[in-house]
mmCIF file of all heavy atoms in Angstrom:
data_model
loop_
_atom_site.group_PDB
_atom_site.id
_atom_site.type_symbol
_atom_site.label_atom_id
_atom_site.label_comp_id
_atom_site.label_asym_id
_atom_site.label_seq_id
_atom_site.Cartn_x
_atom_site.Cartn_y
_atom_site.Cartn_z
ATOM 1 N N ARG A 824 24.131 -19.104 15.546
ATOM 2 C CA ARG A 824 23.387 -17.867 15.777
ATOM 3 C C ARG A 824 24.176 -16.665 15.286
ATOM 4 O O ARG A 824 23.634 -15.741 14.693
ATOM 5 C CB ARG A 824 23.084 -17.714 17.268
ATOM 6 C CG ARG A 824 22.004 -18.645 17.765
ATOM 7 C CD ARG A 824 21.675 -18.364 19.202
ATOM 8 N NE ARG A 824 20.659 -19.282 19.695
ATOM 9 C CZ ARG A 824 20.208 -19.260 20.937
ATOM 10 N NH1 ARG A 824 20.671 -18.394 21.803
ATOM 11 N NH2 ARG A 824 19.288 -20.124 21.314
ATOM 12 N N ALA A 825 25.483 -16.663 15.544
ATOM 13 C CA ALA A 825 26.313 -15.548 15.111
ATOM 14 C C ALA A 825 26.308 -15.428 13.598
ATOM 15 O O ALA A 825 26.245 -14.328 13.047
ATOM 16 C CB ALA A 825 27.738 -15.724 15.632
ATOM 17 N N ALA A 826 26.379 -16.571 12.911
ATOM 18 C CA ALA A 826 26.380 -16.558 11.450
ATOM 19 C C ALA A 826 25.065 -16.023 10.918
ATOM 20 O O ALA A 826 25.031 -15.227 9.975
ATOM 21 C CB ALA A 826 26.645 -17.966 10.914
ATOM 22 N N GLU A 827 23.959 -16.459 11.542
ATOM 23 C CA GLU A 827 22.647 -16.018 11.089
ATOM 24 C C GLU A 827 22.453 -14.527 11.323
ATOM 25 O O GLU A 827 21.759 -13.852 10.573
ATOM 26 C CB GLU A 827 21.555 -16.800 11.832
ATOM 27 C CG GLU A 827 21.460 -18.256 11.404
ATOM 28 C CD GLU A 827 20.494 -19.030 12.279
ATOM 29 O OE1 GLU A 827 19.957 -18.441 13.228
ATOM 30 O OE2 GLU A 827 20.286 -20.220 12.018
ATOM 31 N N ALA A 828 23.056 -14.018 12.380
ATOM 32 C CA ALA A 828 22.817 -12.636 12.769
ATOM 33 C C ALA A 828 23.721 -11.645 12.042
ATOM 34 O O ALA A 828 23.619 -10.444 12.257
ATOM 35 C CB ALA A 828 23.001 -12.490 14.279
ATOM 36 N N ALA A 829 24.642 -12.146 11.207
ATOM 37 C CA ALA A 829 25.602 -11.268 10.553
ATOM 38 C C ALA A 829 24.919 -10.410 9.497
ATOM 39 O O ALA A 829 24.613 -10.871 8.409
ATOM 40 C CB ALA A 829 26.715 -12.103 9.921
ATOM 41 N N VAL A 830 24.657 -9.171 9.844
ATOM 42 C CA VAL A 830 24.057 -8.205 8.918
ATOM 43 C C VAL A 830 24.984 -6.998 8.885
ATOM 44 O O VAL A 830 25.137 -6.302 9.890
ATOM 45 C CB VAL A 830 22.648 -7.789 9.366
ATOM 46 C CG1 VAL A 830 22.070 -6.764 8.394
ATOM 47 C CG2 VAL A 830 21.731 -8.996 9.484
ATOM 48 N N SER A 831 25.624 -6.766 7.745
ATOM 49 C CA SER A 831 26.572 -5.665 7.638
ATOM 50 C C SER A 831 25.838 -4.327 7.584
ATOM 51 O O SER A 831 24.626 -4.265 7.376
ATOM 52 C CB SER A 831 27.423 -5.831 6.380
ATOM 53 O OG SER A 831 26.628 -5.604 5.220
ATOM 54 N N LYS A 832 26.600 -3.243 7.740
ATOM 55 C CA LYS A 832 26.017 -1.910 7.627
ATOM 56 C C LYS A 832 25.430 -1.702 6.239
ATOM 57 O O LYS A 832 24.375 -1.070 6.082
ATOM 58 C CB LYS A 832 27.068 -0.848 7.938
ATOM 59 C CG LYS A 832 27.481 -0.798 9.402
ATOM 60 C CD LYS A 832 28.469 0.339 9.648
ATOM 61 C CE LYS A 832 28.856 0.431 11.125
ATOM 62 N NZ LYS A 832 29.836 1.519 11.367
ATOM 63 N N ALA A 833 26.110 -2.225 5.217
ATOM 64 C CA ALA A 833 25.611 -2.091 3.839
ATOM 65 C C ALA A 833 24.318 -2.858 3.655
ATOM 66 O O ALA A 833 23.381 -2.378 2.999
ATOM 67 C CB ALA A 833 26.671 -2.572 2.854
ATOM 68 N N ASP A 834 24.259 -4.063 4.228
ATOM 69 C CA ASP A 834 23.030 -4.860 4.148
ATOM 70 C C ASP A 834 21.880 -4.134 4.830
ATOM 71 O O ASP A 834 20.762 -4.082 4.309
ATOM 72 C CB ASP A 834 23.222 -6.225 4.818
ATOM 73 C CG ASP A 834 24.216 -7.116 4.100
ATOM 74 O OD1 ASP A 834 24.383 -6.953 2.877
ATOM 75 O OD2 ASP A 834 24.821 -7.972 4.775
ATOM 76 N N ARG A 835 22.159 -3.576 5.996
ATOM 77 C CA ARG A 835 21.122 -2.886 6.744
ATOM 78 C C ARG A 835 20.658 -1.640 5.991
ATOM 79 O O ARG A 835 19.455 -1.343 5.936
ATOM 80 C CB ARG A 835 21.655 -2.482 8.125
ATOM 81 C CG ARG A 835 20.619 -1.779 8.994
ATOM 82 C CD ARG A 835 19.591 -2.748 9.531
ATOM 83 N NE ARG A 835 18.359 -2.083 9.905
ATOM 84 C CZ ARG A 835 17.476 -2.593 10.760
ATOM 85 N NH1 ARG A 835 17.703 -3.766 11.325
ATOM 86 N NH2 ARG A 835 16.370 -1.966 11.034
ATOM 87 N N ALA A 836 21.593 -0.931 5.380
ATOM 88 C CA ALA A 836 21.236 0.264 4.617
ATOM 89 C C ALA A 836 20.347 -0.094 3.435
ATOM 90 O O ALA A 836 19.369 0.608 3.138
ATOM 91 C CB ALA A 836 22.498 0.973 4.145
ATOM 92 N N LEU A 837 20.682 -1.186 2.750
ATOM 93 C CA LEU A 837 19.856 -1.644 1.633
ATOM 94 C C LEU A 837 18.473 -2.032 2.117
ATOM 95 O O LEU A 837 17.456 -1.696 1.495
ATOM 96 C CB LEU A 837 20.529 -2.838 0.943
ATOM 97 C CG LEU A 837 19.693 -3.553 -0.115
ATOM 98 C CD1 LEU A 837 19.307 -2.607 -1.247
ATOM 99 C CD2 LEU A 837 20.460 -4.763 -0.668
ATOM 100 N N HIS A 838 18.426 -2.740 3.238
ATOM 101 C CA HIS A 838 17.151 -3.184 3.790
ATOM 102 C C HIS A 838 16.271 -1.980 4.135
ATOM 103 O O HIS A 838 15.062 -1.986 3.854
ATOM 104 C CB HIS A 838 17.403 -4.035 5.037
ATOM 105 C CG HIS A 838 16.190 -4.724 5.557
ATOM 106 N ND1 HIS A 838 15.683 -5.870 4.999
ATOM 107 C CD2 HIS A 838 15.357 -4.410 6.590
ATOM 108 C CE1 HIS A 838 14.596 -6.243 5.662
ATOM 109 N NE2 HIS A 838 14.380 -5.370 6.637
#
Side-chain angles (χ1 to χ4, degrees):
R824 286 185 181 179
E827 289 173 357
V830 179
S831 70
K832 290 183 178 179
D834 294 333
R835 181 74 202 202
L837 172 60
H838 189 79

